[in-house]
Short mmCIF file of all heavy atoms in Angstrom, two decimals:
data_model
loop_
_atom_site.label_atom_id
_atom_site.label_comp_id
_atom_site.label_asym_id
_atom_site.label_seq_id
_atom_site.Cartn_x
_atom_site.Cartn_y
_atom_site.Cartn_z
N ASN A 86 97.33 107.45 94.98
CA ASN A 86 96.57 108.70 95.27
C ASN A 86 96.35 109.39 93.90
O ASN A 86 97.20 110.19 93.50
CB ASN A 86 97.40 109.51 96.31
CG ASN A 86 96.75 110.88 96.58
OD1 ASN A 86 97.45 111.74 97.09
ND2 ASN A 86 95.53 111.08 96.24
N THR A 117 88.33 113.71 85.84
CA THR A 117 89.19 112.57 86.24
C THR A 117 88.34 111.50 86.89
O THR A 117 88.47 110.32 86.59
CB THR A 117 90.30 113.04 87.20
OG1 THR A 117 91.07 114.02 86.55
CG2 THR A 117 91.22 111.91 87.66
N ALA A 130 87.16 109.71 98.43
CA ALA A 130 87.96 110.81 98.97
C ALA A 130 88.12 110.54 100.50
O ALA A 130 87.22 110.19 101.21
CB ALA A 130 87.20 112.11 98.75
N GLY A 174 113.14 114.21 56.70
CA GLY A 174 112.10 114.47 55.72
C GLY A 174 110.99 115.19 56.48
O GLY A 174 111.21 116.30 57.02
N GLY A 310 100.77 127.09 115.42
CA GLY A 310 99.86 128.17 115.77
C GLY A 310 100.32 128.97 117.02
O GLY A 310 99.65 129.95 117.33
N THR A 321 106.84 131.46 132.17
CA THR A 321 107.12 132.50 133.22
C THR A 321 106.06 132.41 134.33
O THR A 321 106.35 132.50 135.53
CB THR A 321 107.07 133.92 132.63
OG1 THR A 321 107.96 133.95 131.50
CG2 THR A 321 107.52 134.99 133.61
N ALA A 373 114.26 119.16 131.90
CA ALA A 373 112.80 119.06 131.76
C ALA A 373 112.12 118.85 133.10
O ALA A 373 110.95 119.20 133.25
CB ALA A 373 112.41 117.93 130.82
N ARG A 382 116.11 133.84 132.57
CA ARG A 382 115.37 134.44 131.49
C ARG A 382 115.87 133.94 130.14
O ARG A 382 115.08 133.57 129.26
CB ARG A 382 115.61 135.96 131.64
CG ARG A 382 114.65 136.76 130.87
CD ARG A 382 114.62 138.23 131.38
NE ARG A 382 113.93 139.07 130.44
CZ ARG A 382 114.53 139.77 129.53
NH1 ARG A 382 115.84 139.81 129.45
NH2 ARG A 382 113.80 140.51 128.71
N VAL A 410 108.89 113.47 92.88
CA VAL A 410 108.72 114.25 91.71
C VAL A 410 109.96 115.10 91.43
O VAL A 410 110.83 115.23 92.31
CB VAL A 410 107.41 115.13 91.83
CG1 VAL A 410 107.56 116.30 92.78
CG2 VAL A 410 106.89 115.66 90.50
#
Side-chain angles (χ1 to χ4, degrees):
N86 174 197
T117 301
T321 308
R382 196 161 167 264
V410 74

